[in-house]
Amino acid sequence: PYNPLPPAALNAASVGRWLLGHVHKPDRQGNWTYPGSPQALDFGETGPHGVLIADWEGGWGSFEAVPISSVAYETVE
């Protein structure tokens, strides 16, 4: 809902990698990436939160997720 272009349009563009913002949950598909927020802000933001370290050598092929959030929210049954 935050992206004015459909994912297919991003994937079809002749760009190495799109880095998109606003969405708090990390997501990587095709040639686009939402790094997510470095800090989990509420219980709706489950999973690890942190930063992405991009390896610029040889292109955009390598990302390392480094969790740095001081809190983590998970569903427990």
Side-chain angles (χ1 to χ4, degrees):
Y2 301 105
N3 183 1
L5 297 171
L10 293 175
N11 289 331
S14 60
V15 210
R17 171 72 56 182
W18 294 94
L19 293 177
L20 308 171
H22 186 85
V23 174
H24 295 191
K25 184 176 182 175
D27 190 12
R28 288 182 263 177
Q29 298 181 32
N31 70 343
W32 55 274
T33 299
Y34 280 110
S37 61
Q39 179 71 29
L41 301 175
D42 66 48
F43 64 88
E45 299 180 1
T46 58
H49 284 262
V51 296
L52 286 180
I53 306 296
D55 181 0
W56 295 83
E57 292 286 325
W60 284 89
S62 174
F63 283 101
E64 178 187 358
V66 180
I68 63 168
S69 182
S70 61
V71 297
Y73 298 97
E74 298 296 339
T75 302
V76 177
E77 293 186 22

